Amino acid sequence: MNVKSILLFSLLFGFISCQKTEEYTDVIALQNAKGQFVGNASCVGCHQNEVNDWSDSNHAKAMLEANEKTVLANFDNAELKRNGLVHKMYKKGNAFFVLTDGPNGVLEEFEVKYTFGYHPIQQYLVEFEGGRLQVLSLTWDVAKKEWYYMSDEVYKNFSIDHENWLHWTNQAYNWNGMCAECHTTNLKKNYHPETDSYKTTWSQLSVSCEACHGPAEYHLKWASTKDKDIANYGFVKKFKDSDNHSQLETCVRCHSRRSIFGDYDYAWTETHEHMTIGTVGSPNYHSDGQIKEEDFEIGSFMQSKMHENGVKCSDCHNVHSGKVKFQDNRLCTQCHEPADYDSKKHHFHDKNKGGASCVDCHMPGQYFMGRHFRRDHSLRIPRPDISKVTNAPNACTACHTDKTVDWAIENTTKWYGPKAQDHHGFTFHKANSQDPAAVGELKIIINDEKKPLIVRQTAMDVLRINYPGQAQAILNPFLSHQNAALRFQSVFNSRFEDSNSKEILALLKDPIKGVRNTAAIKIAENKTLLPSDYRTLFEKEIKEYVAVLTYNSDFPDAKLNLGNYYYSQNNYPKATNYYQQTIAQDKEFMQAYYNLAYLYGETNQKKEAVVVLESYLQKNPKDKQALFDIGLLIAEYGDYDKAVIYLEKAKATINPNDRITLNLAKIYAYLDQKPKAERYFKELVQNFPLIEEYDVELFQFYITNQNIEKAKQAAIQILKKYPNFKERSVLESFIQGNLPKNEK
């Protein structure tokens, strides 16, 4: 493991995936964005129908004060038994309370201040010190009319206690940073890192009219005067006759996996100025792009042919009520000819059964948050042939659970004919298996302008992750691409080096904030190539990046990256402080322990480095990979006796692993424990018979220890196994010089 590589800036941002929108040049339009928020009551007089639709929507009920009208759950002395504790939900007068496991793991009483969500589940918020609102894990299933403990159903393979980052009292369930922007209007987070506290404000609870349209002060002025000089009817955002891209720019703020740079400013005309959204690769998606974790729709939709052909959110959804326009196949036959598609000759299923429903085949879904069913919006053709190779799900066997993938392939082939084998899912699967053949295929995808933009971006990520040595030459041409998304993705996955220094330096002047910041980070990793005439510009952009991290420093990821930044500036006290804060907030964040240990090692505090690594394992004893990584780090610090303890534990739990065995063999050889060293070198040769390096290591071990006869036998095996061994003549001379006379 290259320990130093873990100190590279692990960018907080996600990945930009939207193209540049129409620029608003009208000065008045930009001023409109700075107008005041006036509230929904101002909209009713002219927009009664729209307000009526909105009033019954989940957006309108996204967050409300807790009272008899808004609370749906049973608070009539209800109980939920879990892990030996009895959680209780009850009322005192008009107030709602819960008795549940608090920040110390024992039962405490909390008052419910707000409802959170409405259907199909409703959650509840309680107040903590420091301006925090936390989302209770106790959750009401509206359909089943029962309480459940969300953490148990969402994190089934984890043991979530009060010390875990995922416990409801900790940051993962913090409303201010995790949820607030998408459940209120005009949110200002106002996190103060100095005091680790919030003073969060908003104009209106829930997603109101102005949450999407922006502040309406200038719209009211337009409405009273009908002044034609006021652009877009007094709104900065253009909705009348909007296309799918401009609609997506509005919805992407909440309906995507994303990272934000700061509080939203309606004057921004670029998604990239506010946030970046995740690409569609592992671990959040299957190899073929189907949802695996929550993606909030847009990541899926951007992969679809519908999106590529101009279909927009409002084609299927009433944008004010949020509901789909039709509950049956009429939703799709708005565009698709019913005789061709809403017929048995297309779907081959009984009209009255699920297989005849367009969305069941083309928009399969799964449950998130334990009980919330959400559909995949990639609107894909079911491909069981991809499932056969990649193990991704498919709509056929998801419904026909008693059937096999081969059965599904046979029937879909019979109905629709064989499918083309060039789907990017095959390539991403190959790449994640590190098949060398995938490199060329990834290059084709990245350069294919007919592929969805988000798929091309994902291919860049997959290329860099799995083939770092071959990625740069393929990525370099995109550093100056006219498309901001591709510029961002290429620089995000790049190294700052001689081959691209000119292009990356130019990105410090990029009009897009995410691109500028990322370029600055890459330069910070290798400042030896930074020319003096770019230093001022670089310092400006790195400060912008630090400001983004500071805004997000209520999260451990941002704290870690601040530590990384200050480490790169040789400000070791500040770096140490941020690493320690990261660990305090998330005791399972392995990278923070590693980076802090490496800092200690670099500053000649090797004892402290070992203590940090051991403290991680004490808190995370089941982390198998950490045993290996920590063993290597301790070996780098020269404590070989302690290193072999961890490496032996790793070998016992991660098997077979040739790199663990090789390191153990070398350490034992160094410690002069020759029998153990020999056993492990021989084990490598036996278990990995096609890896030349291990035969050579065994030979060299015998030579070093002057065991000539065993060295000779090892040399003979090398020549038998590897006829093209590049130093064949040397080994032949060695063998001939040491063979007994009767064998010459």
Side-chain angles (χ1 to χ4, degrees), residues 268-280:
W268 285 329
T269 59
E270 290 280 356
T271 294
H272 323 77
E273 285 295 306
H274 173 57
M275 55 174 279
T276 59
I277 70 174
T279 51
V280 293

Side-chain angles (χ1 to χ4, degrees), residues 81 244 307 376 395 465 573:
K81 295 180 180 179
N244 73 335
H307 174 258
D376 189 317
I465 291 169

